[in-house]
Amino acid sequence: MKLLVNPAYRHLQSYIETLPEIFEQEGTTVYKSRNLIKTFTTPDGLHVNVKRYHKPRFLNLLAYSLGLRTPKGRRAFDYPTILLGKGINTPEPIAYIEQRQCGLLGYSYFISIQSDYPHLMYEMGEASPQLYERMAPAFAHYTAHMHNMGIMHRDYSPGNILWKEDENGEFHFSIIDINRMYFGEVDMEKGCANLKRIWGNKDFFQLLARHYAHERGFDPSETIEKVMKHRTRFWTRYIKKHGKPYPIEL
């Protein structure tokens, strides 16, 4: 077993080492698909999130096992340090566990702090103007800051964007599932396309695009046009295959 531990949580190492053994029987399941996510409470009362990545197969098995590609769990452990260092909120990493058999990668685990952000961007699908008109400038600022830092979430979807509103009415955002990130220049085209999967009505998107343009120094009309073009293209294809996930206007 390969184990990497954030030095700030070295005191939890003996507990972390038990997680593969207790994972099936203990913890609270929060997501179950190919990958399984559970929450646990450590002996000192810390709430942690544990994501077990499925065993890779076929070509991926060889690519990950031979080091041709970095395993998803390892990327999920490494990337938060980069993001947090640039002021982009994401749950703090605690540890990464990698299991192998005969040199081949098996299950891997990423352990992080359990986020206390209570909301997902899914709520923007049916949000009132009173909410989205206040949120749009803050979310545009958050996204523009990330792009200006040369960072882009490749799966910038509502399930991977958490948010909360504090007692002063200010919005804060955090991104999760960050094993698929782009590091490099984010130009207007890339940035506008990155917004296409967010949920929300047309007025919200136009407001979001206008504030995003202001934050990045882009032409507002051109930015709105590009954001709406990418949004329409994505959702037209999605609805044909899956139907409408929320009352969406195109």
Side-chain angles (χ1 to χ4, degrees), residues 204-220:
F204 170 64
F205 263 83
Q206 290 171 351
L207 190 59
L208 176 61
R210 184 174 294 109
H211 284 284
Y212 177 78
H214 173 75
E215 293 283 345
R216 301 209 64 199
F218 295 156
D219 177 77

mmCIF file of all heavy atoms in Angstrom, residues 204-220:
data_model
loop_
_atom_site.group_PDB
_atom_site.id
_atom_site.type_symbol
_atom_site.label_atom_id
_atom_site.label_comp_id
_atom_site.label_asym_id
_atom_site.label_seq_id
_atom_site.Cartn_x
_atom_site.Cartn_y
_atom_site.Cartn_z
ATOM 1 N N PHE A 204 -29.938 34.838 -16.089
ATOM 2 C CA PHE A 204 -28.805 34.575 -15.207
ATOM 3 C C PHE A 204 -27.517 34.460 -16.013
ATOM 4 O O PHE A 204 -26.480 35.037 -15.650
ATOM 5 C CB PHE A 204 -29.047 33.303 -14.405
ATOM 6 C CG PHE A 204 -27.848 32.807 -13.637
ATOM 7 C CD1 PHE A 204 -27.294 33.561 -12.612
ATOM 8 C CD2 PHE A 204 -27.255 31.586 -13.943
ATOM 9 C CE1 PHE A 204 -26.178 33.116 -11.896
ATOM 10 C CE2 PHE A 204 -26.147 31.129 -13.244
ATOM 11 C CZ PHE A 204 -25.604 31.902 -12.219
ATOM 12 N N PHE A 205 -27.569 33.734 -17.132
ATOM 13 C CA PHE A 205 -26.367 33.541 -17.941
ATOM 14 C C PHE A 205 -25.885 34.849 -18.555
ATOM 15 O O PHE A 205 -24.682 35.115 -18.612
ATOM 16 C CB PHE A 205 -26.635 32.506 -19.041
ATOM 17 C CG PHE A 205 -26.175 31.126 -18.679
ATOM 18 C CD1 PHE A 205 -26.976 30.306 -17.909
ATOM 19 C CD2 PHE A 205 -24.940 30.657 -19.077
ATOM 20 C CE1 PHE A 205 -26.554 29.037 -17.554
ATOM 21 C CE2 PHE A 205 -24.510 29.393 -18.732
ATOM 22 C CZ PHE A 205 -25.320 28.576 -17.971
ATOM 23 N N GLN A 206 -26.817 35.665 -19.023
ATOM 24 C CA GLN A 206 -26.415 36.933 -19.617
ATOM 25 C C GLN A 206 -25.792 37.857 -18.578
ATOM 26 O O GLN A 206 -24.802 38.548 -18.842
ATOM 27 C CB GLN A 206 -27.623 37.588 -20.288
ATOM 28 C CG GLN A 206 -28.065 36.851 -21.543
ATOM 29 C CD GLN A 206 -29.380 37.352 -22.113
ATOM 30 O OE1 GLN A 206 -30.066 38.152 -21.472
ATOM 31 N NE2 GLN A 206 -29.740 36.898 -23.299
ATOM 32 N N LEU A 207 -26.366 37.851 -17.382
ATOM 33 C CA LEU A 207 -25.806 38.644 -16.286
ATOM 34 C C LEU A 207 -24.434 38.105 -15.887
ATOM 35 O O LEU A 207 -23.482 38.872 -15.663
ATOM 36 C CB LEU A 207 -26.773 38.605 -15.103
ATOM 37 C CG LEU A 207 -26.512 39.554 -13.929
ATOM 38 C CD1 LEU A 207 -26.527 41.000 -14.406
ATOM 39 C CD2 LEU A 207 -27.558 39.333 -12.843
ATOM 40 N N LEU A 208 -24.330 36.778 -15.806
ATOM 41 C CA LEU A 208 -23.060 36.135 -15.470
ATOM 42 C C LEU A 208 -21.994 36.483 -16.505
ATOM 43 O O LEU A 208 -20.852 36.832 -16.159
ATOM 44 C CB LEU A 208 -23.267 34.623 -15.397
ATOM 45 C CG LEU A 208 -22.046 33.738 -15.149
ATOM 46 C CD1 LEU A 208 -21.410 34.068 -13.807
ATOM 47 C CD2 LEU A 208 -22.452 32.262 -15.200
ATOM 48 N N ALA A 209 -22.357 36.402 -17.784
ATOM 49 C CA ALA A 209 -21.405 36.694 -18.862
ATOM 50 C C ALA A 209 -20.958 38.154 -18.821
ATOM 51 O O ALA A 209 -19.779 38.463 -19.049
ATOM 52 C CB ALA A 209 -22.031 36.374 -20.212
ATOM 53 N N ARG A 210 -21.882 39.056 -18.523
ATOM 54 C CA ARG A 210 -21.532 40.480 -18.481
ATOM 55 C C ARG A 210 -20.528 40.760 -17.362
ATOM 56 O O ARG A 210 -19.530 41.467 -17.564
ATOM 57 C CB ARG A 210 -22.798 41.313 -18.278
ATOM 58 C CG ARG A 210 -22.551 42.827 -18.326
ATOM 59 C CD ARG A 210 -23.835 43.626 -18.259
ATOM 60 N NE ARG A 210 -24.656 43.409 -19.448
ATOM 61 C CZ ARG A 210 -25.803 42.727 -19.456
ATOM 62 N NH1 ARG A 210 -26.275 42.203 -18.335
ATOM 63 N NH2 ARG A 210 -26.479 42.578 -20.562
ATOM 64 N N HIS A 211 -20.764 40.180 -16.198
ATOM 65 C CA HIS A 211 -19.845 40.396 -15.088
ATOM 66 C C HIS A 211 -18.514 39.676 -15.324
ATOM 67 O O HIS A 211 -17.453 40.183 -14.935
ATOM 68 C CB HIS A 211 -20.474 39.915 -13.784
ATOM 69 C CG HIS A 211 -21.512 40.852 -13.240
ATOM 70 N ND1 HIS A 211 -21.189 42.025 -12.612
ATOM 71 C CD2 HIS A 211 -22.875 40.795 -13.257
ATOM 72 C CE1 HIS A 211 -22.296 42.651 -12.238
ATOM 73 N NE2 HIS A 211 -23.329 41.931 -12.617
ATOM 74 N N TYR A 212 -18.568 38.508 -15.961
ATOM 75 C CA TYR A 212 -17.343 37.777 -16.286
ATOM 76 C C TYR A 212 -16.489 38.609 -17.247
ATOM 77 O O TYR A 212 -15.260 38.708 -17.076
ATOM 78 C CB TYR A 212 -17.700 36.430 -16.913
ATOM 79 C CG TYR A 212 -16.514 35.601 -17.354
ATOM 80 C CD1 TYR A 212 -15.751 34.892 -16.430
ATOM 81 C CD2 TYR A 212 -16.164 35.524 -18.697
ATOM 82 C CE1 TYR A 212 -14.660 34.122 -16.837
ATOM 83 C CE2 TYR A 212 -15.085 34.758 -19.117
ATOM 84 C CZ TYR A 212 -14.331 34.061 -18.179
ATOM 85 O OH TYR A 212 -13.255 33.312 -18.590
ATOM 86 N N ALA A 213 -17.128 39.243 -18.233
ATOM 87 C CA ALA A 213 -16.406 40.094 -19.184
ATOM 88 C C ALA A 213 -15.741 41.257 -18.461
ATOM 89 O O ALA A 213 -14.579 41.595 -18.731
ATOM 90 C CB ALA A 213 -17.369 40.612 -20.250
ATOM 91 N N HIS A 214 -16.477 41.861 -17.531
ATOM 92 C CA HIS A 214 -15.917 42.991 -16.778
ATOM 93 C C HIS A 214 -14.696 42.554 -15.971
ATOM 94 O O HIS A 214 -13.677 43.259 -15.945
ATOM 95 C CB HIS A 214 -16.990 43.555 -15.836
ATOM 96 C CG HIS A 214 -16.463 44.602 -14.899
ATOM 97 N ND1 HIS A 214 -16.159 45.892 -15.308
ATOM 98 C CD2 HIS A 214 -16.173 44.553 -13.563
ATOM 99 C CE1 HIS A 214 -15.700 46.582 -14.274
ATOM 100 N NE2 HIS A 214 -15.700 45.798 -13.210
ATOM 101 N N GLU A 215 -14.797 41.389 -15.319
ATOM 102 C CA GLU A 215 -13.697 40.899 -14.487
ATOM 103 C C GLU A 215 -12.447 40.592 -15.302
ATOM 104 O O GLU A 215 -11.322 40.733 -14.807
ATOM 105 C CB GLU A 215 -14.140 39.640 -13.727
ATOM 106 C CG GLU A 215 -15.214 39.863 -12.672
ATOM 107 C CD GLU A 215 -14.652 40.486 -11.406
ATOM 108 O OE1 GLU A 215 -13.416 40.494 -11.227
ATOM 109 O OE2 GLU A 215 -15.458 40.960 -10.579
ATOM 110 N N ARG A 216 -12.634 40.176 -16.565
ATOM 111 C CA ARG A 216 -11.487 39.761 -17.367
ATOM 112 C C ARG A 216 -11.069 40.780 -18.422
ATOM 113 O O ARG A 216 -10.114 40.553 -19.169
ATOM 114 C CB ARG A 216 -11.782 38.412 -18.037
ATOM 115 C CG ARG A 216 -12.085 37.289 -17.053
ATOM 116 C CD ARG A 216 -11.692 35.938 -17.601
ATOM 117 N NE ARG A 216 -10.263 35.845 -17.812
ATOM 118 C CZ ARG A 216 -9.691 34.934 -18.613
ATOM 119 N NH1 ARG A 216 -10.445 34.039 -19.259
ATOM 120 N NH2 ARG A 216 -8.384 34.904 -18.767
ATOM 121 N N GLY A 217 -11.790 41.895 -18.485
ATOM 122 C CA GLY A 217 -11.427 42.928 -19.447
ATOM 123 C C GLY A 217 -11.820 42.583 -20.871
ATOM 124 O O GLY A 217 -11.197 43.069 -21.829
ATOM 125 N N PHE A 218 -12.850 41.760 -21.039
ATOM 126 C CA PHE A 218 -13.334 41.379 -22.368
ATOM 127 C C PHE A 218 -14.472 42.304 -22.802
ATOM 128 O O PHE A 218 -15.103 42.971 -21.972
ATOM 129 C CB PHE A 218 -13.855 39.935 -22.366
ATOM 130 C CG PHE A 218 -12.816 38.884 -22.098
ATOM 131 C CD1 PHE A 218 -13.188 37.643 -21.577
ATOM 132 C CD2 PHE A 218 -11.477 39.100 -22.368
ATOM 133 C CE1 PHE A 218 -12.253 36.656 -21.325
ATOM 134 C CE2 PHE A 218 -10.527 38.119 -22.123
ATOM 135 C CZ PHE A 218 -10.919 36.896 -21.604
ATOM 136 N N ASP A 219 -14.740 42.307 -24.086
ATOM 137 C CA ASP A 219 -15.878 43.055 -24.605
ATOM 138 C C ASP A 219 -17.176 42.381 -24.138
ATOM 139 O O ASP A 219 -17.373 41.183 -24.389
ATOM 140 C CB ASP A 219 -15.842 43.079 -26.137
ATOM 141 C CG ASP A 219 -17.043 43.795 -26.722
ATOM 142 O OD1 ASP A 219 -17.061 45.033 -26.695
ATOM 143 O OD2 ASP A 219 -17.984 43.094 -27.178
ATOM 144 N N PRO A 220 -18.076 43.112 -23.458
ATOM 145 C CA PRO A 220 -19.286 42.497 -22.899
ATOM 146 C C PRO A 220 -20.187 41.848 -23.951
ATOM 147 O O PRO A 220 -20.655 40.721 -23.762
ATOM 148 C CB PRO A 220 -19.997 43.667 -22.210
ATOM 149 C CG PRO A 220 -18.916 44.651 -21.925
ATOM 150 C CD PRO A 220 -17.947 44.522 -23.055
#
